Amino acid sequence: MNAAKRQAIFERLREQNPHPTTELEYTTPFELLIAVLLSAQATDVSVNKATRLLYPVANTPKKLHALGVDGLIPYIQTIGLFRTKAKNVIETCRILMAEHGGEVPRQREALEALPGVGRKTANVVMNTAFGEPTIAVDTHIFRVSNRTGIAPGKNVDIVEQKLMKFVPAEFKQDAHHWLILHGRYTCIARKPKCWNCMIADLCEFKQKTPLPDSV
């Protein structure tokens, strides 16, 4: 895909959604960090349902750590891998209090040192909480990047590198949100809604889905 096509794609995505953001509900960097931690292999909807009950009770490292693993589990047991996530959350809270004054660090190395926080989670926090032009590559963004031809790659690291190289600077801050929303609602996994896609004429996916008879 050439630079002109990429420019046009992101111009359209921006026109449709000028101020995109995560669908996870949060009010502080700490709430966002915990929500993203909980969202691994889970839907944002399921995480929001849990945090709506959890955060009124405990939404700081001190309060959440005081719950302990056994106290946290009832709030998040509807989310996949909840036992492992509970342990990671409580240990993360301990580290934040012990090493960062109870604040979420802005540095990638410090974020990735937290239990359960990988590169993708760090990218989300850096971008959404602190305004860094990072691009977190999840399954949706990996699929959209490869299918459209925006940034094809065999793994998430290659796709991230290509996105950081090829996405025009003016779009980098919001690219993550546009691509994930596009993958979540239009360029879906099994049958992409090519017939209802605003960038279909720019997309290089050859097997485009035709308009269903039922529409």
Side-chain angles (χ1 to χ4, degrees):
M1 179 176 288
N2 60 42
K5 271 190 179 181
R6 290 192 187 93
Q7 179 76 22
I9 284 173
F10 283 104
E11 284 179 354
R12 291 186 192 179
L13 292 173
R14 179 173 62 187
E15 182 178 357
Q16 181 191 49
N17 187 0
H19 305 291
T21 188
T22 179
E23 293 187 317
L24 291 169
E25 297 171 359
Y26 74 99
T27 59
T28 66
F30 176 72
E31 288 185 358
L32 176 65
L33 171 63
I34 299 305
V36 179
L37 239 170
L38 294 174
S39 71
Q41 299 181 50
T43 65
D44 289 359
V45 172
S46 67
V47 173
N48 289 338
K49 285 181 179 178
T51 57
R52 284 172 199 160
L53 298 175
L54 173 62
Y55 288 162
V57 175
N59 68 339
T60 66
K62 184 177 181 179
K63 290 179 180 178
L64 201 43
H65 187 263
L67 285 179
V69 171
D70 292 338
L72 175 58
I73 282 178
Y75 291 98
I76 66 170
Q77 60 189 358
T78 55
I79 301 173
L81 306 174
F82 66 90
R83 294 187 189 280
T84 298
K85 290 176 181 178
K87 293 177 182 177
N88 286 339
V89 166
I90 298 304
E91 179 62 9
T92 287
C93 291
R94 187 195 68 76
I95 294 172
L96 291 179
M97 289 190 294
E99 300 180 13
H100 302 287
E103 299 294 327
V104 177
R106 292 171 174 257
Q107 299 79 19
R108 175 184 301 283
E109 294 77 12
L111 285 167
E112 291 186 15
L114 299 171
V117 177
R119 185 175 182 85
K120 183 181 75 173
T121 297
N123 277 338
V124 173
V125 173
M126 291 169 65
N127 176 279
T128 306
F130 301 128
E132 296 290 337
T134 56
I135 301 177
V137 179
D138 69 347
T139 54
H140 296 299
I141 295 177
F142 182 79
R143 179 175 66 254
V144 171
S145 297
N146 276 284
R147 186 182 275 166
T148 61
I150 290 173
K154 293 182 178 180
N155 59 56
V156 295
D157 292 333
I158 293 174
V159 169
E160 181 186 340
Q161 290 168 13
K162 287 191 174 183
L163 286 170
M164 292 302 293
K165 179 179 180 180
F166 293 134
V167 173
E170 65 181 298
F171 303 117
K172 275 183 182 166
Q173 177 62 44
D174 294 320
H176 160 79
H177 298 299
W178 285 320
L179 293 175
I180 195 172
L181 292 170
H182 191 67
R184 188 172 285 168
Y185 297 111
T186 302
C187 196
I188 57 179
R190 292 189 178 181
K191 282 192 175 182
K193 300 176 182 178
C194 303
W195 47 271
N196 193 37
C197 176
M198 66 185 304
I199 61 170
D201 59 313
L202 299 168
C203 169
E204 297 183 353
F205 180 55
K206 291 182 172 60
Q207 295 81 38
K208 289 188 170 63
T209 309
L211 179 70
D213 295 335
S214 59
V215 175

